[in-house]
Amino acid sequence: MNNTKRIAIIGATSSIAEHCARIWAQQGSVELILVGRDQRKLEIVAADLLVRSQNTKIEIVVTDFIDPTAIQNTVDALFTFQPIDIALIAHGTLPEQQDCQSNLGLNYSTLEINGISPVLYAEAFAQHMTKLNQGSIAIIGSVAGDRGRKSNYVYGAAKGLVTRYAQGLQHRFAGTGVNVSLIKPGPTNTPMTAAMKGSEKFATPEEVAKTITAGIESKKAVIYAPAKWWLIMMVIRHLPSLIFNKMNI
């Protein structure tokens, strides 16, 4: 009997995803399929993982994150010979809000890569996991999707789309063998946030990855990472507009 857990990571070169992969590689018999757009970057991540865990089987898949046909074909190929046990959908970008306001092309691509693309990947995994009645789909959203704020509302709108989609997917799979987790990281000190003021005080990707992998393992529906962001966003979501609109956040 093959007890090796197969984990597909979409956007495997992101800092948070890479640290999740490190944790999984150290947990025993796993096969990691690293999916991304840049062959060289994927090879660097794979080489690092092999140094840390030489017995981990690693596969690299280079594909497109936008084209629906490419997304469908990529996920179909992953299930050709064996099922995927965990699909972590982790890719995204974080452009400046001001740039999104002045450049409609950037506005569009921000909504597309952070909102539509993760949804299409999740739906493709859901098609296969439905037939098998097993598997976990974990989608990285953001606390930015909990309430629109002037500092990042284009990015937040895309993550809000992911939030609503994940809620529907959870409703669809309730009572089945398929689990869906929505992950909401708070500000994290990664290359994506390096230019942001105070980024050195953000949570580390190691800390966030530990919370994410533990949450997926326990099949949590919503994973705030770090957990304190559940309370912070609960307060922000419930602030009256009269107060909220005076805040510079």
Side-chain angles (χ1 to χ4, degrees), residues 108-166:
Y108 179 89
S109 64
T110 300
L111 294 169
E112 188 175 44
I113 194 66
N114 291 299
I116 295 173
S117 176
V119 164
L120 295 182
Y121 266 104
E123 199 64 40
F125 279 107
Q127 292 171 3
H128 289 275
M129 291 183 179
T130 296
K131 297 173 186 174
L132 299 167
N133 195 32
Q134 67 174 30
S136 293
I137 301 171
I139 316 171
I140 293 188
S142 172
V143 295
D146 277 15
R147 187 168 187 176
R149 292 176 288 119
K150 64 181 180 181
S151 60
N152 64 359
Y153 64 82
V154 175
Y155 174 79
K159 293 300 187 180
L161 185 157
V162 171
T163 295
R164 288 291 176 267
Y165 172 82

Side-chain angles (χ1 to χ4, degrees), residues 8-249:
I9 304 176
I10 312 300
T13 60
S14 84
S15 185
I16 291 175
E18 184 177 354
H19 282 84
C20 288
R22 291 179 184 179
I23 292 172
W24 281 321
Q26 294 169 354
Q27 287 182 343
S29 182
V30 296
E31 177 182 350
L32 298 174
I33 301 109
L34 310 179
V35 182
R37 293 183 290 190
D38 188 312
Q39 174 88 27
R40 187 183 65 82
K41 290 182 179 178
L42 287 170
E43 289 174 348
I44 293 172
V45 173
D48 177 80
L49 289 169
L50 284 173
V51 169
R52 296 170 186 274
S53 179
Q54 296 180 0
N55 294 325
T56 299
K57 184 178 179 182
I58 299 175
E59 179 183 350
I60 287 175
V61 176
V62 179
T63 189
D64 188 273
F65 281 173
I66 300 300
D67 179 56
T69 301
I71 291 170
Q72 182 77 67
N73 292 340
T74 297
V75 175
D76 288 350
L78 296 180
F79 282 84
T80 300
F81 300 109
Q82 294 181 62
I84 295 293
D85 297 293
I86 298 173
L88 174 63
I89 301 169
H91 58 291
T93 62
L94 181 58
E96 290 287 339
Q97 170 63 28
Q98 291 290 335
D99 293 338
C100 291
Q101 291 171 205
S102 60
N103 183 334
L104 293 187
L106 179 62
N107 193 316
Y108 179 89
S109 64
T110 300
L111 294 169
E112 188 175 44
I113 194 66
N114 291 299
I116 295 173
S117 176
V119 164
L120 295 182
Y121 266 104
E123 199 64 40
F125 279 107
Q127 292 171 3
H128 289 275
M129 291 183 179
T130 296
K131 297 173 186 174
L132 299 167
N133 195 32
Q134 67 174 30
S136 293
I137 301 171
I139 316 171
I140 293 188
S142 172
V143 295
D146 277 15
R147 187 168 187 176
R149 292 176 288 119
K150 64 181 180 181
S151 60
N152 64 359
Y153 64 82
V154 175
Y155 174 79
K159 293 300 187 180
L161 185 157
V162 171
T163 295
R164 288 291 176 267
Y165 172 82
Q167 289 172 344
L169 203 60
Q170 289 168 344
H171 192 197
R172 169 183 165 187
F173 285 125
T176 75
V178 180
N179 184 71
V180 179
S181 294
L182 172 63
I183 301 156
K184 298 186 179 185
T188 307
N189 190 0
T190 66
M192 194 164 76
T193 63
M196 295 176 66
K197 185 178 180 180
S199 62
E200 71 280 0
K201 298 178 182 178
F202 294 168
T204 65
E206 294 92 337
E207 178 184 6
V208 170
K210 286 179 183 176
T211 302
I212 290 172
T213 52
I216 295 172
E217 180 67 24
S218 60
K219 301 185 185 302
K220 290 184 67 174
V222 180
I223 304 167
Y224 280 93
K228 67 180 181 181
W229 281 95
W230 174 85
L231 179 60
I232 295 171
M233 297 313 299
M234 189 272 288
V235 172
I236 290 178
R237 284 197 310 273
H238 290 87
L239 278 175
S241 295
L242 191 63
I243 297 173
F244 181 76
N245 289 342
K246 294 179 180 178
M247 299 174 70
N248 188 28
I249 58 175

